[in-house]
Amino acid sequence: MSARIEMSATAVRPRARFVREAADVRRQALIDATARCLAEKGVSGTSVRGICARAGVSSGLLTHYFDGVDALVLATYADVGAKVSAAIDMAVAQAGPDPRDRLRACLQANFCAPILDPDLLATWIAFWSLVKTDPSIAAVHAEVYRASRRQLESFLHAAAPFMSNHQVRIAVISLTALVDGLWLELCLDPSTFSAEEAQAMVERAMLQALDQK
């Protein structure tokens, strides 16, 4: 009797795991579909029906995984931000232990795939359009950029320990603005300058920041 019970419990476990995995896959499919819809159609053109059609699920299934479309958009913003952070983290990890190389990798990863992507820009634009009207989106936006600045500050402190906190803060603001501006223009019109030229401009700005005494 106990053997049969044990066998039955063992048989159930893979199915429970499968159900959880299937739910995770569907949830991620909805997030990915939302990102694509926002990139292609913007906020005004994105609908529950369109998202679900792209994700390959019924419209009613959205509320099974999210508390409405606003929660789905919020989750999508967080997911896109996490993917960008993961790409930068990978570039930094591959740069090795030298602090300057790690700082350089953090900055220049913005001009390589998967971050240098016009579709990613289109998705960000859709999110940015909601920052002033949706407090939840604004909060995620603030956290994404705060985490990015903190990461850059830590790399800059490691590469130039002689710099004061104030100098590091100003340098990070300047470098972030330069990277964002070049990334934006390059995604909008890659004929203006190349990714390599953008990286060279950022390199000069980085070295200038590191030369502060």
Side-chain angles (χ1 to χ4, degrees):
M1 180 72 173
S2 61
R4 284 199 297 273
I5 293 174
E6 184 176 345
M7 288 175 60
S8 176
T10 303
V12 168
R13 287 193 195 104
R15 177 170 176 79
R17 202 160 45 239
F18 173 78
V19 170
R20 286 196 298 273
E21 289 170 354
D24 290 342
V25 168
R26 289 198 185 99
R27 189 177 190 280
Q28 189 60 49
L30 285 165
I31 288 174
D32 293 341
T34 303
R36 293 298 307 155
C37 287
L38 289 170
E40 293 175 5
K41 303 178 183 297
V43 174
S44 62
T46 297
S47 65
V48 171
R49 180 176 296 179
I51 291 170
C52 292
R54 182 176 285 276
V57 301
S58 65
S59 297
L61 201 61
L62 187 150
T63 54
H64 180 73
Y65 297 104
F66 299 95
D67 294 330
V69 69
D70 290 344
L72 174 55
V73 170
L74 186 64
T76 303
Y77 194 0
D79 183 75
V80 172
K83 287 176 179 175
V84 170
S85 295
I88 291 176
D89 289 345
M90 181 176 293
V92 170
Q94 293 172 346
D98 184 82
R100 288 200 172 200
D101 289 342
R102 290 168 66 82
L103 173 61
R104 180 179 293 109
C106 178
L107 294 167
Q108 296 196 355
N110 292 277
F111 305 104
C112 303
I115 300 176
L116 187 62
D117 181 0
D119 286 342
L120 177 60
L121 170 61
T123 305
W124 278 126
I125 289 174
F127 291 137
W128 291 336
S129 70
L130 295 170
V131 168
K132 292 299 183 183
T133 59
D134 188 323
S136 298
I137 292 290
V140 172
H141 171 80
E143 180 53 37
V144 166
Y145 275 84
R146 184 161 46 245
S148 176
R149 289 194 303 272
R150 285 174 180 166
Q151 182 186 47
L152 196 52
E153 284 175 358
S154 69
F155 292 142
L156 197 51
H157 271 300
F162 54 83
M163 291 177 66
S164 68
N165 290 339
H166 175 72
Q167 287 176 318
V168 167
R169 175 178 173 273
I170 296 302
V172 165
I173 292 171
S174 299
L175 288 169
T176 299
L178 177 62
V179 168
D180 286 351
L182 291 172
W183 176 80
L184 176 62
E185 185 58 39
L186 197 53
C187 285
L188 287 172
D189 183 5
S191 68
T192 307
F193 51 85
S194 67
E196 292 74 19
E197 288 174 319
Q199 289 177 327
M201 286 184 267
V202 171
E203 174 78 4
R204 285 194 294 272
M206 182 194 82
L207 293 176
Q208 184 178 14
L210 291 173
D211 283 341
Q212 294 185 60
K213 300 297 184 182

